[in-house]
Amino acid sequence: MAARKIFVLDTSVILYDHNALNNFQEHDVAIPIQVLEELDNMKGGNETRNFEARGFIRMIDQLSRKKLINQWIHLKGQVKGKFKVILSGRPKGLDAEQIFGNSKFDHQIINAALMLMEENPGKQVVLVSKDICLRLKAKALNLAAEDYETGKIKNVDALYTGKTTAKHIPEALIDTLKHKTAVPADSLPLDHPGANQFYSLMHGRKKVNAFYDRRTHTLTPVTADPVFRIKPRNPEQAFALHALANPDIQLVSIQGNAGTGKTLLALASALEQRKNYRQIYITRPVIPLSNREIGFLPGDAKSKTDPFLAPIWDNIRFIKEQYADDARMTAKIDELIATEKIAIAPLAFIRGRTLTKIFFIVDEAQNLTPHEIKTIISRAGEHTKIVFTGDIYQIDTPYLDAESNGLSYLIENVKNHPRYAHVTLQRGERSELANLANELL
């Protein structure tokens, strides 16, 4: 059995996963008092981090009961370690506040871990943080530091793509699918690691695109028909439109870099199916530049969020341009927006809502934590479809990366569910100039 360690958690870990305390197996876990102070300052509000802060504070309260938490107390579970809060103090040796300056809680958190090292010479003390700079400072003082690994995808380059190419398929089968007829797939040598999978089936020069439904074990042809006058420009976009239009698929994720058409395809599909849903809701997490909170921006909610939601409005404008010859339809789209049949708002403004009979699009989902993804899906009521779009390699939040963001977590953990479909878009369709940027720069 490996030697027991002491893991010291900083605030970023708690805000990422308030249940982190219980994810270190038999090892002990400590929290610097400064972390509790930061969580206390964050417990009010409706952002995800406020919920995480409150959840952790309640957990510590239940754990402590009549015990003193500045002493080691046992975590629940026979194989669990112990927990304590480290009070303020200075280590006898290296002093982070003296070396780096004493104005930041970060340096006091490092000092708390250094004090534990001095008090427990027989155990390895590890600082766990999602803050890269904090980890580097800790390592500079001979303090082991690592990222919080729970929920991380180990090999993001091998992430499920939802599509594959199968060669040497019987010619008769390809001909049948080309006539838009579904066929049983039981006898075919197809590799479908997920519950649902898109295929480019080939026999010599003949080729057809199809969707494998694991519930029915059938292959259904995937057409390149336009949706709300948005025509798929490649097979991947056709796959995405097929998943978005399939009433049996209630959860869809579309991953791809800039210009692959993720948001546009989702919007066009929502508008095409608008009569099947009570409302189309489009949202994206607001990531303020320079970490300035949205509350500091001037104006009302709409004026504050319009800059962040501008890409969504751009896509709606593009769809309206496809109907430049149809004044009735452009007026209809304007009416849908005016009556909030199409509602566009940042994620923070939908807290507490029940999503019943809603086509719900979450753009830039890579900027969400796994817990936020779970929270959104758990709100789904009857007859709701949820679509997550994003690029796992383009993350704007400081404590997430391609391996730990909510979109990667969703793709990896839900890929085998029969109500889920995923497509990774790789070919940019915005413009040749945009493709140049993605491919060469």
Side-chain angles (χ1 to χ4, degrees), residues 151 153 156 159 255 365-366 392 395 401-413:
I153 308 304
V156 74
L159 199 61
Q255 202 280 125
Q366 77 279 2
I392 62 171
I395 293 174
D401 56 30
E403 298 171 337
S404 64
N405 72 87
L407 184 57
S408 294
Y409 180 83
L410 173 74
I411 296 166
E412 177 63 23
N413 288 283

Side-chain angles (χ1 to χ4, degrees), residues 140-372:
L141 300 181
N142 291 326
L143 171 62
E146 61 185 47
D147 194 0
Y148 179 63
E149 296 292 329
T150 301
K152 290 191 79 167
I153 308 304
K154 299 305 178 187
N155 185 8
V156 74
D157 291 331
L159 199 61
Y160 177 59
T161 64
K163 56 190 174 65
T164 192
T165 298
K167 298 180 179 179
H168 311 299
I169 299 299
E171 187 175 8
L173 177 96
I174 290 181
D175 290 338
T176 303
L177 284 168
K178 281 191 172 182
H179 287 93
K180 300 185 178 181
T181 305
V183 296
D186 292 325
S187 60
L188 289 170
L190 296 177
D191 173 28
H192 31 77
N196 298 304
Q197 182 85 350
F198 289 97
Y199 282 96
S200 291
L201 303 175
M202 301 177 71
H203 178 92
R205 292 186 177 182
K206 285 191 174 184
K207 181 179 177 180
V208 68
N209 295 318
F211 172 66
Y212 169 77
D213 188 330
R214 200 166 186 177
R215 291 182 308 116
T216 59
H217 298 288
T218 58
L219 281 168
T220 306
V222 174
T223 68
D225 297 336
V227 172
F228 217 72
R229 292 198 179 178
I230 300 299
K231 184 173 176 59
R233 296 187 178 183
N234 55 57
E236 295 164 348
Q237 288 192 349
F239 293 156
L241 287 173
H242 188 278
L244 291 163
N246 189 336
D248 294 324
I249 302 298
Q250 294 177 284
L251 181 61
V252 177
S253 60
I254 306 173
Q255 202 280 125
N257 54 21
T260 49
K262 307 178 292 295
T263 311
L264 179 64
L265 297 174
L267 273 168
S269 295
L271 287 165
E272 184 75 19
Q273 300 171 72
R274 64 191 181 279
K275 294 179 181 177
N276 300 334
Y277 296 92
R278 183 170 54 84
Q279 191 178 35
I280 298 166
Y281 215 105
I282 311 147
T283 186
R284 59 183 352 212
V286 173
I287 310 298
L289 297 176
S290 305
N291 289 325
R292 291 183 65 194
E293 293 298 330
I294 189 171
F296 289 105
L297 293 176
D300 59 13
K302 187 178 187 305
S303 61
K304 286 179 179 183
T305 56
D306 269 351
F308 304 108
L309 302 174
I312 295 173
W313 290 111
D314 289 343
N315 279 288
I316 289 178
R317 198 173 296 114
F318 182 83
I319 289 173
K320 284 177 66 177
E321 287 170 0
Q322 310 312 302
Y323 285 91
D325 60 342
D326 188 342
R328 186 176 175 182
M329 182 54 77
T330 55
K332 181 64 179 176
I333 295 171
D334 288 337
E335 180 192 337
L336 292 172
I337 295 168
T339 58
E340 293 196 339
K341 172 80 174 182
I342 302 175
I344 303 170
L347 202 55
F349 289 102
I350 64 148
R351 293 243 175 246
R353 295 193 58 176
T354 300
L355 309 175
T356 304
K357 205 174 181 182
I358 288 176
F359 196 109
F360 190 52
I361 301 170
V362 183
D363 197 25
E364 302 291 349
Q366 77 279 2
N367 288 319
L368 299 171
T369 66
H371 186 251
E372 286 177 303

Side-chain angles (χ1 to χ4, degrees), residues 6 72 84 115-125:
I6 301 176
W72 289 108
K84 75 176 286 189
M115 286 165 55
L116 269 187
M117 283 179 64
E118 293 176 351
E119 294 168 7
N120 300 272
K123 287 187 176 180
Q124 183 182 6
V125 176

Side-chain angles (χ1 to χ4, degrees), residues 34-54:
Q34 292 80 11
V35 170
L36 285 183
E37 182 68 20
E38 288 190 311
L39 293 174
D40 185 49
N41 293 332
M42 295 180 182
K43 66 185 179 186
N46 292 318
E47 299 287 340
T48 300
R49 62 180 185 174
N50 307 129
F51 284 95
E52 299 287 353
R54 291 195 291 268

